């Protein structure tokens, strides 16, 4: 569940986490545990690096666009917002009720460790180097992540076609919902579930394709995805233990 | 306090609000009531268009950069988040407690009426056409707006110099605080005050200059700025009735 | 799920709900669906009046004391607090986010319709008339009820014995947890579950036995209890569909 | 602002705070700083024990009843609820955002140190010993206290007369509002002000007179009352620095 096996590139890991790969041979056998990207590889390993919570929300939103080369690889921006469980149970000024409640704040602007994780993951399916500007924010709620992602299509897009692309890409995925055009994904529609909801929006005037992606950071962003990976690796039904609906209230 | 006198361009107003300027002569005499931009003009009018709440938070953050031509005029992105008072007291599904609480959602993506207001205002001090992608979100808090604004400097920037520029620009402004480099503006530091806090951040890797701007949408974003404008127009002390500190809890 | 079959006494029903029993014969066959009180009767009926949410939290806390005649039947006080889902999805001033959030208010003081329901239910196991003062409050949370109940033991009590009594009373109940002495029940320990947590406290100085009872108003206080009743009536495993743990965050 | 000078009885202080009066002579000169009770004495001292937050909300609600001998002195119950600022800025499990948010819990049931403070204060105007059962609860809000207080009138009461009594009692008090009969005091009507709102309710069926009292624990419950006391002691206008309206949102 930690970051130890999320990277293939030891230099990136060292730069952002300050440590070397102490068991390099294990890294060769490990797989980055995003089932929607690496399901077949996960079936054949016992060492899975479960993705970061923010990383999951951003990668799932971008996978179809990157794999088809639809958007500029540089200049991607993710403005992400997470509930307080995202920062753990440790006691700190920033998680004291009166500091979070009725407020909103950004942190680790352009410095969060999920940035290189997302870039490395997306690079694995891209011909060109992915560059991401990532700003996390702390929301006064218990759980949930919403990422608003700004991308620049290489040419003018037809949103119906983009939407079809997403629907096809995720057609057989049990935990990714591509919302109908015109709908907007929101945190309470995925809360307490393993789902990722993705909605697609176009700022035609400025040539920006905007993705909004929501997960529950404690489930699809953490323990739920861990179980999903375990199910895949051990040959169980992938939905085992995860087959419940969101709790919208 | 409405949008009636926020625009000079009647076509823009008609496009976004669906109405003509019914009293065009009054529009000639009116002034857009952002004191930090138009203080001298406000002194000489009795018709003031009080700016929108989101518009205030975004314009104050961008004024120094735009007036100096430091950033690309196209491709500016504001990812903004507002408390529920921003959507008024009317009863609706979206303001029912159980729909807002423990959630976050975006709305009117690339379609919010403050977009043309911000563009027209910034164009008045720019040599080139400003283009903004603007995404508002509904936060589960009562009051406050935080705008995270992504800009692209025309060349590599020295953040100390940018910070100096902001400090100079707002040196004599009673209600704009430029935070020291390294600090991050947050909603509870401006709550229940007429202040706007602005912090500056650099994603050097991606050449993005990021601004975070906070106001209380009910005060600097509405009634407080109205009082500030009235004070200026009537020759009172500009801080009269507004001279109170934030309530951080 | 409505109040139609919660009462045996048509006069009480008429007084509080303004309507007659329109199908009196059905009332003869109906059972008040509190499984911990009426399990055997529920097995033999198809007409079950599912208890009110507040009523469930208060009745479960008081059943052991009333059935043993330990406390004064008069002068019982329940100070209860409920999340906003308790007042339904209808739009009203009182459920507008900005009116609930950061506030607390009481309503229908000594006038709430669950009062006669609780009294009638407890009277069925008491030799003397139960009289309850009941004050509901609206909490700024989505779900959960906490009832703080003040009772007067007829004589000085030994809390170990009272605790043993509760443990025995609920020993075979799948959804009632009697907390160890010294612990205090709280809403987030039952949220999203069908459990009722009860803790016991003694104000020896004033001769008051205080009970704190928590349920999720949407589950044990409503749909969950409905399922529990259905399971019993149809001969299913009583825990079917309800066999999940609370979500503490 | 601490408890040092809130007690006259050194034994009570020692029992609840574990310390002796180290400077007994100062205690002789000190006054309990509840202006509505001790205004004249406060004018003549420089040593003022500023009341506890819960104590303020409960004492103000009960003063008129106790001073007139209307209610039974024994068996008074206050079920009180406070925002998280009430427990200070220290870091603890109980003030971690995810533990407070979406929950409610009671603590120090019948053991809170404000109990003897309230009893001693009310005894000073009573012929008989006041006995209070007091249960504090932690609300998931920043600020505000609501106390729901259950009392037993010695005889049947006429609520119009009781209301008149309260209005007369507080007629010249700048910071106590007695609400019209039928209205219910709520936290957001006093937030960020030095006001105490009190509403009166009757459970005629059970002979209970119920008081609901709200203050902002940080203002009338602490710093605001401190300023009010300072103003009185130094001969300033009592409302100086406190003359602002509540912020209902």
């Amino acid at each position: 569940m930690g970051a130890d096996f999320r990277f293939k590139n030891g230099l990136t890991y060292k730069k952002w986490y300050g440590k070397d790969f102490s068991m390099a041979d294990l890294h060769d056998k490990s797989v980055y545990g995003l089932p929607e990207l690496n399901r077949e590889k996960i079936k054949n390993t016992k060492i899975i690096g479960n993705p970061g919570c923010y990383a999951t929300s951003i990668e799932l939103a971008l996978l179809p666009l990157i794999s088809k080369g639809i958007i500029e690889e540089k200049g991607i921006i993710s403005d992400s917002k997470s509930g307080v469980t995202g920062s753990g149970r440790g006691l700190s000024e920033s998680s004291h009720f009166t500091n979070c409640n009725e407020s909103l704040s950004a942190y680790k602007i352009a410095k969060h460790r999920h940035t290189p994780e997302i870039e490395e993951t997306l690079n694995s399916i891209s011909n060109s180097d992915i560059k991401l500007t990532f700003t996390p924010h702390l929301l006064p709620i218990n759980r949930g992540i919403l990422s608003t992602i700004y991308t620049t299509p290489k040419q003018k897009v037809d949103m119906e076609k983009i939407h079809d692309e997403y629907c096809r890409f995720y057609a057989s995925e049990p935990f990714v919902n591509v919302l109908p055009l015109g709908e907007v994904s929101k945190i309470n529609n995925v809360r307490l579930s393993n789902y990722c909801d993705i909605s697609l929006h176009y700022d035609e005037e400025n040539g920006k394709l905007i993705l909004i992606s929501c997960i529950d950071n404690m489930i699809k962003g953490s323990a739920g995805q861990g179980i999903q990976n375990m199910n895949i690796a051990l040959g169980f039904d992938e939905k085992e233990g995860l087959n419940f609906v969101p709790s919208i209230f």
Side-chain angles (χ1 to χ4, degrees), chain A:
Chain A
M1 302 297 294
D4 311 75
F5 291 101
R6 291 181 190 162
F7 292 85
K8 284 297 172 197
N9 186 326
L11 292 177
T12 307
Y13 182 71
K14 174 131 200 191
K15 177 178 169 193
W16 289 82
Y17 288 84
K19 290 185 284 190
D20 287 302
F21 283 173
S22 53
M23 289 177 285
D25 56 321
L26 295 184
H27 277 83
D28 293 341
K29 297 176 195 160
S30 75
V31 176
Y32 184 72
L34 191 71
E36 293 78 4
L37 177 66
N38 288 330
R39 184 171 286 107
E40 291 312 309
K41 291 181 189 163
I42 294 166
K43 288 180 184 169
N44 297 302
T45 187
K46 288 290 182 311
I47 306 180
I48 301 165
N50 206 56
C53 52
Y54 285 121
T56 298
S57 78
I58 297 169
E59 290 162 6
L60 289 176
L62 286 169
L63 279 182
L65 294 180
I66 300 294
S67 72
K68 295 285 175 183
I70 293 167
I71 56 168
E72 299 290 347
E73 287 80 7
K74 309 250 175 307
I76 300 170
I77 291 169
S78 183
D79 191 282
S80 298
K81 303 89 177 172
S82 172
V84 183
T85 51
S87 46
R89 304 189 64 164
L91 302 181
S92 67
E93 287 286 322
S94 64
S95 60
H96 191 288
F97 183 84
T98 57
N99 286 331
C100 304
N101 186 41
E102 293 296 290
S103 191
L104 179 74
S105 53
Y107 62 101
K108 293 188 189 163
I109 301 156
K111 286 182 197 142
H112 194 284
R113 288 165 164 184
H114 289 183
T115 311
E117 177 184 339
I118 298 162
E119 290 177 344
E120 189 185 288
T121 303
L122 295 178
N123 276 339
S124 74
I125 54 160
S126 169
N127 294 320
S128 179
D129 252 21
I130 301 294
K131 295 301 294 178
L132 173 74
T133 295
F134 168 45
T135 310
H137 299 73
L138 186 66
L139 278 175
I141 68 176
N142 279 357
R143 44 204 301 162
I145 285 178
L146 183 147
S147 291
T148 311
I149 306 171
Y150 300 89
T151 71
T152 309
K154 290 175 181 166
Q155 41 193 289
K156 210 174 161 184
V157 295
D158 173 336
M159 286 302 283
E160 298 284 351
K161 286 188 184 162
I162 296 285
H163 187 257
D164 285 350
E165 203 66 68
Y166 270 79
C167 290
R168 250 194 314 274
F169 195 93
Y170 287 124
S172 58
E173 285 301 331
F175 296 117
V176 181
N177 300 315
V178 179
L179 302 194
L181 286 176
E183 293 194 10
V184 187
S185 65
K186 50 196 284 192
I187 283 177
N188 52 6
N189 284 339
V190 298
R191 192 168 45 214
L192 283 151
S193 83
N194 198 48
Y195 290 108
C196 176
D197 275 10
I198 301 171
S199 64
L200 310 174
H201 312 274
Y202 193 32
D203 179 359
E204 191 174 353
E205 190 79 14
N206 294 296
K208 295 289 177 194
L209 181 49
I210 303 168
L211 315 168
I212 301 185
S213 158
C214 292
I215 59 170
D216 185 318
N217 58 299
M218 306 269 275
I219 306 189
K220 184 61 176 170
S222 176
Q225 187 149 260
I227 291 167
Q228 188 180 357
N229 280 318
M230 180 189 71
N231 288 339
I232 296 169
L234 300 181
F236 300 158
D237 177 351
E238 188 171 333
K239 300 188 293 295
E240 197 64 49
L242 301 168
N243 214 350
F244 41 81
V245 296
S247 170
I248 62 169
F249 298 125

